[in-house]
Amino acid sequence: MKSEAAVAAARPGRFRERLQTYRHNRFLIYMFLPGFLIFFIFSYVPMYGIMIAFKDYRILDGIAGSPWAGLEHFRYLFAGQGFTNALRNTVVIALLKYLFVFPAPIILALLLNEIRLSWFRRTIQTISYLPHFFSWVILGGILFTFLGREGGFNQILGYFGLPPVNWLIEPSSFYGMVVITDIWQSIGWGSIVYFAALAGIDPTLYEAAIADGASRWRRIWHITLPSLVPVITIMLLLSLGNFLQVGFDQIYNLMTPTTSDVGDILDTYVLRRLLTMDYEVGAAAGIFSSVFGLLLVIVANYLVKLYDKDQGIW
Amino acid sequence: MYKTTWNEKLFDTLNVIVLILLACATLYPFIYTLTVSLSLPSEFKLPGLKLFPRDPTLASYAHVLDQTGIGRAFFNSLQRTVIGVAVLLAATAMTAYPLSRKGFPHRGLVMKLFVFSMLFSGGLIPMYLLIRNLGLLDSVWALVLPGAVSAFNLIIMRNFFQAIPEEIIDSAKIDGAGEWRVLFRIVLPLSTPVLAVVALWAGVHHWNAWFDAMIYIQDLDKQVLQLFVRRAVIEESDELASQVELLQAGNYSSETLKAATVMVATIPILCIYPFIQRFFVKGIMLGSVKG
């Protein structure tokens, strides 16, 4: 494709040839344009709208006609309390999720892999995928009743003589609940990719190990785990690009006024700026997280390539 | 030869127990909500596991379904799901097919544009201003169009189309079929697995989506079910029953009403879950094929 174009460019009369390619493909182009236009409008026009973060937006003048404001809105972001607090909460939640939520599906896949009854394994898998299919509105609705003072969780704790706690309302237990409910929602679904990697391990490796008298532990340690390392590395590096996306849907639906101090993240901060029509500051905060995300993707992709040349996003 | 040791049998037993506990912990909040939705208010506060209602009653459902807003919201969700899936499939297939043909001009550049859109976006506020300037606020198109042609679905479809042998398409063209005919008579019928996966994905996505509707739809009559649930259950507005109604009612309380509301939005997904679950797992594998 590329070399064809280069050859065409080097020859004289390339404009006519271009035209001929267009003519030749005109029906394909008609077919292609409506969908591409939809894509372009909703993906690239908002990127132009980013300019608003550097302007004093006046509705009547539009984005292009409004006067420039330089970096004033960014200065405002870092001078005030709201944004830095949201940034700190975002980083804390992101780190907690890497520590506890990321390994959970790997452990589940390893446990499932040791089950030989396939109907039992499939049943567990089917059940574990279930919460993935519901929105956080529904899950939040379930959790507020379930984790409430008189809810089912406290009733179970009551068996063990533990006092009831309003789990989602107490700021001190909020991060714990964010981690646990995220594991609940994503562990089964997340395990699919690891389980597939385990299913792809050459069974002759195990047969040879068994013939050599390797115990179950040794087989897990020397065959199963090393085979998972590439997938784990790739998944970890790819997730870096979403470092600041710590789960808006989840946190917005679990947050209450009592937990807004610890639960306010970058995405909820931007939303609040939108609702108060503080567009420029909100867009500036949005740029901060988009650019940071893009930089992390570039770094992560570089690291993936270092690790394995054939992997990565580009 | 290798023999199973006592130690390993213990591991197997523990493993089974851990997995059963995990399954119970996953399911119990759902079962609990179902039970509460079918219970009398007096039962809600009783200690103990709630695996089934002692004295099942549909009073909460009757009251919830009696609310004017919920039927409307259910219809709006259904509408956006049907329109959303139809538009997404048509637009994505029509964009992906030309990109799967070798001679299509600027193919590489266009694919780069799609990939870059996965890495960087304008963010919430420019998107909101765009929708507002296009006059799409309070319209179902604000919920349908922005995601109609997304890089992820497009790449999956294009890869699938590309794997269709060139000879089949060429022979159809020699027989005089135009591009549209090739797409609808040959390429799409051969691509039903990928179309099914993308359609199911999009369907579940649209049914569950709420954030876009919260931002772009202000007219309560056009609001989707998820937001009805959010207002009634999470924001605790008196969508479901006024304080007076709650005080007078004997056979429902705010907890049982909330549980019933959640179940109304949950049941459609639960009904199709056994069928779509396997498709979704297949879809993950399709998606992991590199573009």
Side-chain angles (χ1 to χ4, degrees), chain B residues 101-151:
Chain B
R101 314 289 346 125
K102 280 217 181 64
F104 191 70
H106 307 301
R107 194 168 75 138
L109 173 72
V110 171
M111 287 316 292
K112 282 200 185 88
L113 283 177
F114 274 104
V115 171
F116 184 71
S117 77
M118 292 204 282
L119 306 177
F120 191 78
S121 75
L124 175 63
I125 283 171
M127 189 70 180
Y128 170 81
L129 294 175
L130 172 69
I131 298 274
R132 200 180 67 182
N133 292 341
L134 290 173
L136 291 179
L137 289 184
D138 273 338
S139 151
V140 67
W141 297 107
L143 313 179
V144 166
L145 289 180
V149 187
S150 72

Side-chain angles (χ1 to χ4, degrees), chain A residues 23-41:
Chain A
R23 256 184 72 81
H24 184 73
N25 285 295
R26 65 186 182 281
F27 292 114
L28 279 179
I29 293 174
Y30 299 154
M31 189 190 283
F32 167 79
L33 277 179
F36 181 71
L37 216 64
I38 295 178
F39 163 75
F40 193 83
I41 290 173

Side-chain angles (χ1 to χ4, degrees), chain A:
Chain A
M1 178 68 207
K2 214 178 227 167
S3 62
E4 247 174 60
V7 171
R11 255 182 289 160
R14 64 167 200 255
F15 182 67
R16 274 187 66 162
E17 256 172 60
R18 228 334 108 75
L19 269 186
Q20 231 162 30
T21 336
Y22 290 147
R23 256 184 72 81
H24 184 73
N25 285 295
R26 65 186 182 281
F27 292 114
L28 279 179
I29 293 174
Y30 299 154
M31 189 190 283
F32 167 79
L33 277 179
F36 181 71
L37 216 64
I38 295 178
F39 163 75
F40 193 83
I41 290 173
F42 291 105
S43 292
Y44 281 88
V45 176
M47 289 188 202
Y48 160 81
I50 281 179
M51 263 192 343
I52 194 177
F54 305 96
K55 294 218 164 192
D56 272 326
Y57 183 54
R58 291 196 298 235
I59 293 182
L60 290 179
D61 295 332
I63 294 176
S66 298
W68 292 98
L71 293 175
E72 191 197 318
H73 302 303
F74 288 88
R75 227 171 280 135
Y76 175 86
L77 276 185
F78 287 96
Q81 280 290 305
F83 178 76
T84 39
N85 183 46
L87 183 60
R88 197 195 53 230
N89 290 340
T90 307
V91 172
V92 169
I93 294 174
L95 292 176
L96 283 174
K97 285 195 171 181
Y98 270 105
L99 204 58
F100 296 107
V101 181
F102 184 81
I106 303 171
I107 296 168
L108 177 63
L110 287 172
L111 292 183
L112 284 169
N113 194 45
E114 296 301 315
I115 298 285
R116 271 151 298 179
L117 285 172
S118 66
W119 65 264
F120 177 72
R121 199 185 60 221
R122 271 205 306 274
T123 311
I124 299 284
Q125 282 175 315
T126 305
I127 292 173
S128 69
Y129 301 156
L130 185 68
H132 174 83
F133 286 81
F134 296 103
S135 71
W136 273 103
V137 169
I138 301 296
L139 298 179
I142 290 175
L143 290 170
F144 267 112
T145 310
F146 186 68
L147 296 172
R149 186 166 284 275
E150 288 160 336
F153 190 53
N154 279 324
Q155 286 171 349
I156 295 173
L157 292 181
Y159 279 126
F160 302 99
L162 295 166
V165 174
N166 212 338
W167 294 98
L168 283 170
I169 307 297
E170 289 291 333
S172 57
S173 57
F174 187 71
Y175 287 159
M177 289 299 118
V178 165
V179 166
I180 290 172
T181 58
D182 195 24
I183 292 178
W184 172 59
Q185 195 251 359
S186 65
I187 184 171
W189 194 250
S191 72
I192 293 176
V193 54
Y194 299 110
F195 189 75
L198 290 175
I201 299 175
D202 184 358
T204 56
L205 287 177
Y206 289 111
E207 284 158 22
I210 290 172
D212 289 345
S215 75
R216 187 85 161 273
W217 309 115
R218 291 198 151 264
R219 276 178 273 152
I220 294 180
W221 187 251
H222 291 291
I223 302 175
T224 315
L225 273 179
S227 322
L228 266 191
V229 169
V231 191
I232 296 174
T233 315
I234 300 291
M235 295 300 285
L236 186 66
L237 293 175
L238 289 183
S239 72
L240 272 185
N242 296 323
F243 185 83
L244 290 181
Q245 268 79 56
V246 288
F248 168 80
D249 285 26
Q250 179 198 14
I251 287 173
Y252 188 69
N253 282 307
L254 294 184
M255 202 161 69
T256 56
T258 57
T259 51
S260 64
D261 250 4
V262 290
D264 194 25
I265 54 173
L266 288 182
D267 296 335
T268 52
Y269 177 85
V270 174
L271 175 63
R272 222 173 31 251
R273 293 277 84 86
L274 173 71
L275 297 179
T276 54
M277 307 229 277
D278 209 351
Y279 299 135
E280 304 97 319
V281 175
I287 289 184
F288 177 83
S289 57
S290 303
V291 170
F292 190 76
L294 183 62
L295 287 178
L296 277 176
V297 173
I298 293 169
V299 171
N301 196 59
Y302 175 75
L303 293 175
V304 172
K305 294 256 176 193
L306 275 190
Y307 178 78
D308 177 354
K309 274 208 312 254
D310 299 329
Q311 293 285 350
I313 310 169
W314 61 83

